[in-house]
Amino acid sequence: MTAARQTHVRYLIIAMLFIASSFSYGDRVALSIVGTAMQRELALDPVKLGLLLSGFGWAYVAGQLPAGGLLDRFGSKRVYGISIICWTICAFLTGFAGYLVPAMAFSTIFVLRLISGLAQSPVFPGNGRIVAAWFPTAERGTASAIFNSSQYFALVMFAPLFGWLTHSHGWRSCFWFMGVFGFVLAFAW
């Protein structure tokens, strides 16, 4: 019996999971950072801003179980890739929705946040599934810690960047930034 040759591909895989998860969290953080500027420009009261902030979470929670089923049926690579493309399109369109009249902008952004929540629901179940497939049992805890740390890294990376972008170029630029780099990520995926 021949011993299997051990490769280091799994390190590239965990790096991709870390980057993808960071962008997923960056997309979630964007609205929190730009909320005040968006609120002023679109005349959003605190209730409407609260709905925009929580809409993502509602859809994300609702999408967890179906996302797990999709991952099991169609595979992590395909579902995760489609997920990245979908949330990227939502981010990009959110920037353009700011040009609509305020009532339409609110409704459009709310729907885009719902779709984005659904689109991102495969991320962490997909991460777990990929780690289980590519990492030996003795390394799964470390690999999981790496992709879980992406949520905190995203805050460190994107919060100051989005603050600067909002101040220098307006709140829409944060969503366009996420859109452009999301397409780069989708291509790399």
Side-chain angles (χ1 to χ4, degrees):
M1 199 174 237
T2 336
R5 191 175 136 253
Q6 186 176 9
T7 68
H8 297 290
V9 172
R10 67 189 184 282
Y11 300 126
L12 174 63
I13 303 260
I14 198 64
M16 283 296 296
L17 293 180
F18 180 84
I19 292 166
S21 298
S22 293
F23 271 87
S24 171
Y25 271 100
D27 180 70
R28 299 172 201 192
V29 165
L31 188 60
S32 299
I33 305 300
V34 306
T36 304
M38 183 188 278
Q39 192 174 19
R40 251 191 325 269
E41 188 175 320
L42 300 178
L44 300 174
D45 61 34
V47 172
K48 285 184 177 177
L49 183 60
L51 288 170
L52 291 179
L53 289 166
S54 63
F56 174 94
W58 299 340
Y60 184 81
V61 168
Q64 289 291 295
L65 287 175
L70 290 171
L71 289 160
D72 289 340
R73 179 167 180 164
F74 298 107
S76 300
K77 183 177 178 182
R78 178 182 298 161
V79 173
Y80 212 124
I82 292 169
S83 172
I84 294 169
I85 291 167
C86 289
W87 95 59
T88 296
I89 291 169
C90 288
F92 207 69
L93 291 176
T94 298
F96 287 108
Y99 290 116
L100 299 171
V101 296
M104 287 282 297
F106 167 76
S107 299
T108 303
I109 293 169
F110 183 72
V111 168
L112 289 169
R113 294 304 290 173
L114 290 173
I115 296 169
S116 186
L118 286 173
Q120 290 186 44
S121 62
V123 171
F124 275 78
N127 287 354
R129 195 170 188 277
I130 292 168
V131 164
W134 281 91
F135 285 83
T137 306
E139 295 178 10
R140 288 182 190 161
T142 301
S144 295
I146 291 170
F147 75 72
N148 276 318
S149 69
S150 66
Q151 61 188 310
Y152 303 105
F153 176 79
L155 287 173
V156 169
M157 181 177 152
F158 290 113
L161 175 64
F162 290 163
W164 175 78
L165 282 171
T166 301
H167 177 73
S168 300
H169 304 287
W171 65 267
R172 291 171 189 83
S173 65
C174 297
F175 293 102
W176 295 332
F177 172 88
M178 291 305 290
V180 168
F181 282 97
F183 284 124
V184 170
L185 176 63
F187 178 76
W189 187 263

